[in-house]
Amino acid sequence: MNFDELFGHFGQHTVDGLSKGAIYALIALGYTLVYGVLRLINFAHSEVFVVGTFAVLGAWTAFGMQDRPGAGQAILFLLIGLIAAAVASGGTALALERIAYRPLRRRNAPPLVFLITAIGLSLVLVEILGLLLPRLVGGVFPTLFGRERQIVGMPTIIEQKPLITIGDTSITNVQAIVFFSALLMMAMLDWFINRTRYGRGVRAVAQNPETAALMGVNQDRVIMLIFVLGGVMAGAAALLWSVRFGFTQSSLGFVLGLKAFTAAVLGGIGNLRGALLGGLFLGLVEVYAATLYTSAWEDVVAFVVLIVVLMFRPTGLLGESLGRARA
C-alpha cells in the first residue's frame, strides 16, 4: 500500500475525489427522488444519464464546436449542452414513467415487477444507444453513432489550467466548475423541494400518498415531476462528465449507475442531502483507494465501504426520508 503517495499528496487526492463525487451525487439525486416517493429503485436512471451525454455531444456537433473555443464561445456551448442534456434526459425519464411505470401503478403491480421492469428498461436503452441507433442513423450522424458500442470522444471545451495552488495542492478550473456547479444544482433542487408549493406536494405524496390525494394533490403530476427533476439532474451530470472526462459510450451508465445508487444508499436513500454526502464520500473513497493500491481496486473498495456502513447504519449516513424532510 502506497501510504507515502496518499499522505504526501493528500490535498490533491481530496480535490480529485470531491470533483468526481460531485458527479456521482447529481446522478444519485434521481435515484433518491424516485425512491423517496414511489419506493422504486429506477435502475434505468443510469441510461437516462447516458442519453444526456449523447445529447451534449450531439448539440456541440450540430453547432460546430471545435476544441478549446474562446471564453465567450465556451460559455455559450456550456449553456447549449446543458439545455440539450436536460431536455433529452428529462424527456427520457418522463417517457419511461409514462410508458412503463404508470401502467404498472394503475394495475397495482407488485414491487418485484417494477424492479424487473427497471432492469429491462436499462438493458433496452443500452441496446438502443449501442446497437440500434448506429445501424439506423450511423451514416447520417457518424460522430455520434458511427461505431457500435464504441467509446466516443468529445471535443475539449475547457482546457484544464491551475486555478488555485496551495502548497502541493492544485485546483484546476475544470475541477472548480464541476464541483461548484454540482453544488449549485443540488442547492436549487433542495430549495425547490423544501420551499415551493410543488415541493410540498412531492413531500406530501412521499409521506402519505392516500392523505395527499384526499387533500387534492395530483399524484400523477407529482410523480411526473420527480422523474423530470431526476432526469434534469442527470442531464446536468452528463454535461459535467463531458467537461471533466470528455467521452461517452452506450454502456457507460452501468458502472456509474451502480456507484450513484451506492452513493444514494450511503447517504440514506430518499434523502436529497444524503445523496450529496454519499456522492462526495464515495468519490473520496475511490480516489484514496486507487492511490493506495491501483485504480483496479477502486470499485471493490467502494462497495466494501457500502457494506461496512450499512452494517452499522442500515438507513445510511443521514437516513431521513424525503417525506420527512423539514421545510
Side-chain angles (χ1 to χ4, degrees), residues 21-312:
I23 297 177
Y24 291 160
L26 274 180
I27 304 173
L29 289 172
Y31 288 103
T32 210
L33 276 170
V34 173
Y35 183 85
V37 174
L38 291 177
R39 296 297 184 266
L40 163 67
I41 300 173
N42 179 23
F43 282 116
H45 184 66
S46 56
E47 275 58 57
V48 171
F49 160 78
V50 178
V51 169
T53 63
F54 278 98
V56 171
L57 177 58
W60 287 352
T61 303
F63 284 90
M65 193 190 89
Q66 303 295 323
D67 276 337
R68 299 174 179 84
Q73 288 185 330
I75 294 173
L76 177 61
F77 282 121
L78 285 174
L79 291 175
I80 291 172
L82 178 60
I83 293 171
V87 170
S89 293
T92 301
L94 180 60
L96 294 178
E97 193 279 326
R98 294 295 299 271
I99 295 171
Y101 297 132
R102 181 174 295 188
L104 294 178
R105 290 203 320 274
R106 289 181 174 174
R107 290 175 172 82
N108 293 318
L112 182 60
V113 173
F114 281 93
L115 180 62
I116 295 172
T117 301
I119 296 173
L121 288 172
S122 175
L123 296 174
V124 167
L125 287 174
V126 169
E127 294 306 313
I128 288 175
L129 291 171
L131 189 62
L132 183 61
L133 288 180
R135 292 185 177 183
L136 293 180
V137 298
V140 182
F141 303 104
T143 304
L144 272 72
F145 304 113
R147 297 172 295 173
E148 296 178 5
R149 309 182 194 279
Q150 298 297 311
I151 294 176
V152 182
M154 297 183 179
T156 302
I157 188 169
I158 300 175
E159 185 176 1
Q160 291 205 50
K161 296 179 180 178
L163 188 64
I164 300 173
T165 301
I166 304 174
D168 293 333
T169 302
S170 178
I171 303 174
T172 68
N173 51 354
V174 170
Q175 289 173 328
I177 289 171
V178 169
F179 182 73
F180 288 109
S181 297
L183 286 185
L184 177 61
M185 294 293 293
M186 286 180 277
M188 291 172 61
L189 179 63
D190 187 76
W191 173 84
F192 180 85
I193 294 296
N194 289 307
R195 299 295 179 183
T196 67
R197 181 167 63 89
Y198 295 106
R200 286 195 296 271
V202 170
R203 288 185 285 121
V205 174
Q207 188 169 15
N208 194 317
E210 291 78 15
T211 302
L214 292 174
M215 297 296 292
V217 178
N218 189 316
Q219 292 188 43
D220 284 338
R221 289 183 181 178
V222 167
I223 293 169
M224 287 172 59
L225 176 62
I226 62 167
F227 271 89
V228 170
L229 287 175
V232 170
M233 292 298 111
L239 174 65
L240 297 181
W241 173 273
S242 304
V243 172
R244 176 75 174 81
F245 296 101
F247 74 92
T248 187
Q249 188 180 17
S250 61
S251 59
L252 176 66
F254 178 73
V255 174
L256 273 178
L258 286 177
K259 291 181 179 179
F261 176 67
T262 300
V265 174
L266 275 173
I269 191 164
N271 188 315
L272 296 180
R273 296 170 189 178
L276 167 61
L277 178 62
L280 297 179
F281 180 72
L282 185 64
L284 290 173
V285 167
E286 283 195 359
V287 172
Y288 294 160
T291 305
L292 279 175
Y293 300 98
T294 64
S295 59
W297 281 89
E298 63 180 28
D299 296 341
V300 176
V301 172
F303 294 116
V304 169
V305 168
L306 170 66
I307 295 170
V308 172
V309 169
L310 293 183
M311 285 174 61
F312 297 97

